[in-house]
Amino acid sequence: MPRYNPATIEPKWQQYWDQHQTFKTPDMPVGEKLYVLDMFPYPSGSGLHVGHPEGYTATDIVCRFERMRGKSVLHPMGFDAFGLPAEEHAIRTNKHPRLTTEENVATFTKQLKMLGFSYDWSRVLSTTDVEYFKWTQWIFLELFDTWFDHETGKGRPIAELPIPVEVKAEGERAVQQYQDEHRLAYQSYAPVNWCPKLGTVLANEEVIDGKSEVGGHPVIRLPLRQWMLRITAYADRLEKDLDQVNWPEGIKKLQRDWIGRSVGAEVDFYIGPAAEFSNWGCSRSKTKFPRKPDDNVLRIYTTRPDTLFGATYMVIAPEHPFVAHLTTPAQQAAVTAYCEKAASKSDRERQEDTKKKTGVFTGSTAINPVNGQPVPIWVADYVLWGYGTGAIMAVPAHDERDFEFAQTFDLPVIAVVDPGDNDEVDRREVLAGKVCSTIDGVSCNSGPYNGLMTGEFKRRITADLSGAGLGREAVNYKLRDWLFSRQRFWGEPFPILHEVDAADKPTGVIRAVSQVDLPVDLPHIEEFKPTGTPEPPLSKAPISWLYPEINGQRYVRETNTMPQWAGSCWYYLRFIDVRNGQVFIDREKEKAWMPVDLYVGGAEHAVLHLLYSRFWHKVLFDRGHVSTAEPFKSLINQGMILGEVEFTGYVRAGGAFVSAAEVTDDDEGNAIVKVSGEAVTPQKINADDVEKKGDSFVLKADPSIRIESRAFKMSKSRGNVINPDDVVKGHGADSLRLYEMFMGPLPATKPWSMAGVSGVRGFLDRAWRLIVEDRADDLVLSSTLQDVEPTEEQARTLHKTIKQVTRDIDNKDFNTAIARMMEFTNFFTKQTVRPRSVMKSFVLILSPFAPHIAEELWQLLGGKTTLAYEPWPTFDEALTKDAEIEIPVQILGKLRGKVVVPAGSDQDTILAAAQADPRIAELLTGKTIVKSIVVPGKLVNFVVK
Ligand code: ANZ
């Protein structure tokens, strides 16, 4: 019994914390605040996996540590519970998604509590709680009520949108429509990726080779009415404000690339007979750019206006509205067929570099504004309608895609940038139009602009075009507006009503549900199945829900639902004021707790979730609801945990092993012996039959045979999934927590190892035995424990450990902190007298990592209540340095003596001490010192002749 037994200790302390509400956070911080947030989980049916506790343990250590340092810590947990799997489950089992979700939430809660995380459970929320999504709907209405003022760069109430006089003159309906077109939440009829089998639209990222990423079902392109959020209006701020946050550079770069800011120029090409062009050009010089492009102008976007003289053809996207009138009768059939085919492809497929370029000539030409040359206009799907102006000038000499296209269709290539002599491309080949060069250089074949450097040319020509009314500088973003509606049941209903006429047909007029009528709850429906058509399941809701009447006017509710991203956009705000029924968050509380000081979660959310929530936050900021421009001050992405390392050996036909070093893959990926080409078969090897030799693994039975080792992503199909419940059952939650942190640096990808778990369990057993009598029948303190002052060596060990663990937690180097505590334990295991005060300090620094065992030991050492708010042990700097150390002295690599020097001595001091040592001095007499090597703290070596 007195042996360390997590199975009894852990539930005992979990119950204690629960009963005493140990981690309940006050409404307002008392003293310095710290808000530490985990990315809340999706409560899936399969329960927690070992990836969850990785980040959660890391944040829990920080929270427990900072509470002991006196900070007021907010550390909440909740559930991102809307989404497809619960609904799919409902379809299969006919069980309401709410029931499934509640069951899963209960399982997750139990599992999280079993791991001893110090969450304030009184703040728990689920995005599916009606009282939560009421406010998600309210925020949507704020977006609906906001337009983006490009002058001030801010979102403002729609009532403040200036209405042009001509619109006003058309009446109220026109004004309303004008407003609707400017809202941050608006409807669009864009072509979307529609998956009939899943019954929903999919984002571009969710479509691979024309099939849904989930399930591999066919996806078609359909124009559908969708809700969109105008995130593009915030592109600039979303990019710039990344400078304000303390995030890993890698994630900032991912976000910047996703936003994809590009600076270039828009240029107008005249479409029509060349003879009319000179007139057009002259008359335009007085026209201010931008004028509304009319049918005579094809406007393009380019990042390389310096290559205008090399434009040998133009391309418009298949969706470009000019396709019809640019296509000549002779080309009609070919163009129509081409455009129809392009319509079925997603943007991603169209841009794939590996695909051969396709296209078709329209039969028309445009006039290049810089030299009056006619340029043929093609339709090709590598140009996207949604980017820039949907039309380009093609410069095959300096753009890879254009070059490929020109090769395919035998179009001229004119070099206009001389790359000079360089390592990347052959200059002569470039100038001869034989290869494409994208590097900067000096302009040529460019008339009056010859001889300019690329950057200077860009500036000059942009200014000249602008002066002539033919172009202007333009900025574009890769970021697209956010497609915000799904044709599914299990999501937040939109708080939007569509006015209908007497025949229940929508009139096109929409209105927001008034705030007093929020939440719009999900209606009861019998059938969750997607309809197979783009009609959402909610269109089959009871009439009473579907058709509300306000002041005698009949409406139909919006039947799309919000995507799963919605709920996770703002949950960090609600945690601060989780039960407020009046507002989504109290202003004072928001000011007191925001921003989130540390946010930890998976790298899979590095782009979309973080971008979406930053966007919502900025809108709330502009509308005066929150006080900070950015929500998450610092961020860490935990690394992925892979399955146990697997070993593979290679066997010849006769059954003999071949060393992995001699094996390679043939063209088809089959294993063969490098020298002979003989086929060999990979065979899984048991970990017990393998041992480590240097950096590689070999067969125990024959160490000359090298074995391959590899860790794979955990997956059901590989059978390498580790269930945290099993680990807790076998070794306890404290061991699981410790192991997850001991595996390696938090952001690193790491393979699981059960042997590693046993290893940290061994450490906890030893830590226990430092304090508890091992073989007694009762829990009694070890007889080595005494109320004495520590010896100097003991004090130094303690103070060094405190210093290092403190610093390591501050730096989030949890693995090294654990290693320090292991060293401490090893040292004190050998001590026959252990001062009680030292053991108490040790228990305190162990507690953030392994809180259950620490609480138990604390109690045994006389603690009356939880140690959660005990002051963090301090250290004496002087004691953290070794007073004196012994340094071995070598002559020609042979140990000849030892000198004692003050710890931390520099090279010169150590060298002087070594030379002054009588024995060494004697051995050096008569010799010439060729070189003296000093490794401070470690050794001195004299190379002599
Ligand atoms: C002429 C040119 C010459 C271009 C050259 C590049 C190199 P970013 O913004 O960096 O991605 N482009 C413009 N609109 C496009 C669209 N809708 N679909 C596909 N391609 C489009 O790149 C902008 C460049 O991508 C533009 O500059 C244009 O090609 C092409 F030596 O214009 B460039």
Side-chain angles (χ1 to χ4, degrees):
M1 167 59 197
R3 283 175 181 258
Y4 166 49
N5 184 8
T8 52
I9 293 174
E10 292 181 351
K12 167 183 158 186
W13 286 100
Q14 285 156 19
Q15 219 175 7
Y16 176 97
W17 298 324
D18 239 5
Q19 269 169 7
H20 293 79
Q21 302 206 352
T22 306
F23 304 111
K24 193 164 158 52
T25 315
D27 269 1
M28 293 290 264
V30 183
E32 196 183 338
K33 72 98 182 176
L34 186 83
Y35 186 176
V36 180
L37 183 70
D38 289 309
M39 285 185 190
F40 65 165
Y42 172 74
S44 72
S46 40
L48 223 56
H49 58 74
V50 288
H52 288 119
E54 190 192 8
Y56 301 165
T57 304
T59 50
D60 200 54
I61 292 169
V62 172
C63 290
R64 287 176 176 273
F65 168 67
E66 295 290 6
R67 273 189 212 104
M68 295 170 83
R69 291 216 290 192
K71 287 200 186 144
S72 210
V73 175
L74 178 57
H75 187 35
M77 180 43 86
F79 301 98
D80 187 15
F82 273 128
L84 259 174
E87 194 171 340
E88 294 282 292
H89 186 77
I91 293 166
R92 281 195 308 274
T93 60
N94 218 5
K95 194 164 174 182
H96 197 284
R98 184 166 287 287
L99 292 178
T100 317
T101 303
E102 278 167 6
E103 280 171 20
N104 294 349
V105 164
T107 309
F108 264 68
T109 306
K110 197 173 124 238
Q111 287 183 303
L112 289 168
K113 289 195 170 179
M114 166 189 91
L115 295 175
F117 299 128
S118 61
Y119 296 122
D120 175 356
W121 282 105
S122 73
R123 292 173 190 257
V124 68
L125 64 80
S126 200
T127 51
T128 50
D129 294 342
V130 184
E131 277 311 302
Y132 179 79
F133 73 66
K134 166 181 174 175
W135 297 106
T136 310
Q137 291 171 335
W138 179 85
I139 296 174
F140 174 83
L141 290 182
E142 282 297 292
L143 289 152
F144 184 70
D145 187 61
T146 304
W147 65 289
F148 192 80
D149 181 354
H150 283 276
E151 285 237 312
T152 57
K154 284 204 170 106
R156 293 172 56 191
I158 199 77
E160 294 173 12
L161 173 72
I163 309 288
V165 275
E166 66 273 17
V167 174
K168 229 179 235 162
E170 282 180 51
E172 200 192 321
R173 210 46 196 264
V175 170
Q176 216 175 47
Q177 200 177 345
Y178 185 82
Q179 287 178 327
D180 288 348
E181 282 162 11
H182 286 81
R183 297 175 189 276
L184 292 184
Y186 65 97
Q187 300 180 86
S188 113
Y189 290 83
V192 292
N193 306 306
W194 165 253
C195 178
K197 187 73 203 283
L198 290 178
T200 190
V201 296
L202 298 169
N204 278 334
E205 301 75 55
E206 295 166 327
V207 183
I208 293 166
D209 285 335
K211 301 226 165 74
S212 62
E213 191 181 10
V214 180
H217 308 299
V219 173
I220 53 173
R221 303 273 291 169
L222 262 190
L224 260 192
R225 183 182 63 82
Q226 296 292 331
W227 280 94
M228 307 289 290
L229 296 186
R230 208 180 300 279
I231 189 171
T232 50
Y234 282 81
D236 205 33
R237 277 165 63 190
L238 287 168
E239 147 134 307
K240 286 217 180 81
D241 289 357
L242 285 172
D243 294 340
Q244 296 183 14
V245 294
N246 174 20
W247 293 11
E249 276 313 312
I251 296 174
K252 287 194 189 183
K253 181 167 183 319
L254 282 176
Q255 295 236 331
R256 287 205 178 96
D257 289 349
W258 191 264
I259 297 166
R261 185 172 202 267
S262 117
V263 182
E266 282 177 6
V267 184
D268 281 356
F269 282 58
Y270 180 66
I271 325 168
E276 284 175 17
F277 169 68
S278 57
N279 278 339
W280 176 77
C282 293
S283 68
R284 294 294 301 280
S285 61
K286 284 168 220 90
T287 325
K288 262 244 173 295
F289 194 94
R291 42 186 230 111
K292 241 189 157 130
D294 53 38
D295 288 357
N296 289 327
V297 174
L298 185 55
R299 183 168 289 175
I300 61 108
Y301 172 67
T302 177
T303 43
R304 297 292 305 272
D306 61 300
T307 61
L308 263 159
F309 287 86
T312 55
Y313 67 99
M314 299 178 82
V315 181
I316 58 176
E319 301 85 358
H320 199 291
F322 285 13
V323 169
H325 80 263
L326 285 177
T327 304
T328 57
Q331 292 300 94
Q332 190 68 57
V335 171
T336 311
Y338 184 80
C339 293
E340 273 171 15
K341 201 155 166 221
S344 66
K345 294 195 201 164
S346 72
D347 285 1
R348 178 156 137 174
E349 283 175 274
R350 284 166 53 164
Q351 281 195 303
E352 249 148 28
D353 285 331
T354 49
K355 297 255 162 75
K356 223 176 153 44
K357 297 279 169 295
T358 59
V360 55
F361 181 43
T362 60
S364 298
T365 53
I367 308 295
N368 188 334
V370 293
N371 58 11
Q373 290 296 312
V375 197
I377 306 172
W378 287 65
V379 178
D381 66 7
Y382 76 96
V383 171
L384 304 177
W385 173 232
Y387 188 67
T389 60
I392 65 160
M393 62 161 182
V395 185
H398 304 294
D399 182 286
E400 304 275 5
R401 295 162 301 176
D402 298 346
F403 186 77
E404 227 176 277
F405 192 88
Q407 296 275 305
T408 310
F409 295 102
D410 206 15
L411 292 158
V413 181
I414 301 173
V416 290
V417 185
D418 181 345
D421 291 323
N422 69 90
D423 298 337
E424 285 176 45
V425 277
D426 181 334
R427 180 182 175 210
R428 273 169 315 172
E429 299 245 290
V430 173
L431 294 179
K434 292 213 176 93
V435 295
C436 164
S437 153
T438 55
I439 56 178
D440 288 1
V442 178
S443 61
C444 56
N445 293 329
S446 296
Y449 294 94
N450 275 342
L452 288 176
M453 300 295 291
T454 301
E456 174 59 13
F457 192 171
K458 281 187 189 174
R459 277 189 292 278
R460 283 266 282 276
I461 193 131
T462 308
D464 290 354
L465 287 166
S466 177
L470 296 167
R472 63 159 170 186
E473 190 184 90
V475 176
N476 268 294
Y477 297 93
K478 291 262 148 49
L479 186 66
R480 304 278 70 129
D481 274 347
W482 173 11
L483 195 156
F484 193 68
S485 40
R486 299 289 182 270
Q487 294 68 48
R488 301 303 307 236
F489 171 76
W490 195 227
E492 301 87 346
F494 282 82
I496 291 287
L497 303 173
H498 301 261
E499 189 185 280
V500 290
D501 61 18
D504 279 348
K505 275 229 154 345
T507 62
V509 174
I510 50 173
R511 62 176 284 169
V513 170
S514 339
Q515 195 185 328
V516 290
D517 293 328
L518 295 182
V520 178
D521 199 356
L522 281 163
H524 179 77
I525 61 169
E526 296 295 335
E527 181 65 89
F528 307 108
K529 269 203 193 77
T531 57
T533 70
E535 273 298 283
L538 286 185
S539 60
K540 286 189 257 132
I543 300 294
S544 57
W545 184 88
L546 204 52
Y547 291 99
E549 221 175 86
I550 303 169
N551 299 333
Q553 172 62 53
R554 201 166 148 87
Y555 294 90
V556 65
R557 280 190 199 278
E558 174 61 59
T559 52
N560 282 303
T561 50
M562 298 187 201
Q564 201 186 345
W565 303 107
S568 57
C569 266
W570 74 283
Y571 70 113
Y572 58 93
L573 289 171
R574 190 64 179 170
F575 278 140
I576 292 173
D577 197 11
V578 77
R579 311 274 170 244
N580 196 329
Q582 304 306 309
V583 280
F584 81 112
I585 187 173
D586 175 83
R587 267 167 207 245
E588 293 308 311
K589 289 185 196 165
E590 185 277 327
K591 270 201 209 113
W593 285 109
M594 282 298 287
V596 171
D597 297 282
L598 173 64
Y599 194 18
V600 177
E604 66 276 20
H605 297 303
V607 180
L608 296 183
H609 158 63
L610 288 172
L611 208 57
Y612 293 156
S613 50
R614 291 178 63 221
F615 162 51
W616 279 33
H617 196 85
K618 287 186 185 305
V619 178
L620 292 171
F621 178 66
D622 286 354
R623 296 297 306 266
H625 301 301
V626 296
S627 59
T628 65
E630 283 289 328
F632 313 121
K633 199 156 108 191
S634 69
L635 175 89
I636 299 178
N637 278 148
Q638 78 224 27
M640 197 196 299
I641 298 184
L642 304 173
E644 291 255 2
V645 171
E646 294 175 21
F647 299 98
T648 312
Y650 292 95
V651 202
R652 295 183 197 272
F657 277 100
V658 188
S659 181
E662 291 171 35
V663 175
T664 185
D665 279 354
D666 69 6
D667 293 344
E668 267 121 54
N670 299 314
I672 51 166
V673 176
K674 264 186 223 162
V675 282
S676 63
E678 177 194 349
V680 283
T681 318
Q683 183 183 309
K684 211 171 158 178
I685 312 276
N686 211 316
D688 297 338
D689 298 331
V690 170
E691 66 187 0
K692 197 151 187 192
K693 191 172 151 194
D695 280 343
S696 41
F697 291 89
V698 294
L699 270 187
K700 263 186 200 162
D702 179 356
S704 73
I705 301 291
R706 241 167 79 179
I707 296 299
E708 262 175 19
S709 64
R710 211 182 131 189
F712 296 87
K713 202 174 155 172
M714 285 191 194
S715 71
K716 273 197 194 129
S717 58
R718 266 208 107 73
N720 61 351
V721 178
I722 304 285
N723 182 342
D725 289 5
D726 297 340
V727 182
V728 172
K729 239 179 250 147
H731 294 285
D734 282 338
S735 290
L736 174 68
R737 293 171 58 117
L738 268 179
Y739 176 64
E740 296 234 2
M741 294 298 98
F742 193 54
M743 289 172 88
L746 184 58
T749 305
K750 299 149 283 205
W752 187 266
S753 150
M754 270 307 172
V757 183
S758 306
V760 294
R761 169 62 196 260
F763 156 63
L764 288 182
D765 284 331
R766 281 194 298 284
W768 177 261
R769 290 197 298 266
L770 288 182
I771 294 166
V772 186
E773 199 59 60
D774 194 24
R775 267 179 268 281
D777 294 333
D778 240 342
L779 271 183
V780 284
L781 289 178
S782 162
S783 57
T784 58
L785 218 64
Q786 289 175 26
D787 281 316
V788 290
E789 285 297 312
T791 64
E792 176 161 341
E793 202 187 8
Q794 288 178 334
R796 285 185 190 286
T797 305
L798 173 70
H799 284 254
K800 262 202 286 192
T801 309
I802 298 175
K803 179 179 175 179
Q804 287 159 339
V805 172
T806 307
R807 185 196 53 204
D808 286 350
I809 303 181
D810 270 330
N811 296 337
K812 322 282 183 289
D813 292 329
F814 306 112
N815 55 330
T816 53
I818 295 168
R820 304 298 185 196
M821 291 188 282
M822 289 176 167
E823 283 167 17
F824 175 97
T825 309
N826 292 344
F827 172 84
F828 273 97
T829 298
K830 289 184 223 124
Q831 301 289 304
T832 46
V833 174
R834 298 177 195 134
R836 182 187 283 265
S837 62
V838 173
M839 289 303 116
K840 282 177 99 168
S841 297
F842 172 65
V843 166
L844 292 177
I845 61 170
L846 176 65
S847 69
F849 299 81
H852 309 86
I853 188 176
E855 290 272 24
E856 186 70 17
L857 291 173
W858 183 252
Q859 194 179 49
L860 284 167
L861 287 166
K864 295 277 173 282
T865 59
T866 170
L867 53 59
Y869 297 92
E870 285 298 319
W872 186 254
T874 51
F875 57 88
D876 179 348
E877 185 68 44
L879 282 172
T880 63
K881 300 207 168 53
D882 284 326
E884 282 183 328
I885 48 169
E886 217 179 35
I887 294 189
V889 183
Q890 303 174 339
I891 297 175
L892 286 172
K894 271 220 175 78
L895 181 66
R896 295 297 185 188
K898 284 179 176 169
V899 286
V900 174
V901 293
S905 297
D906 59 12
Q907 292 200 359
D908 290 349
T909 318
I910 298 171
L911 194 62
Q915 281 169 325
D917 181 80
R919 204 173 113 84
I920 301 293
E922 195 189 314
L923 287 169
L924 288 175
T925 327
K927 304 239 161 70
T928 320
I929 301 175
V930 190
K931 202 167 152 197
S932 3
I933 301 159
V934 183
V935 185
K938 293 259 153 46
L939 95 155
V940 181
N941 183 17
F942 293 106
V943 183
V944 295
K945 260 203 315 214

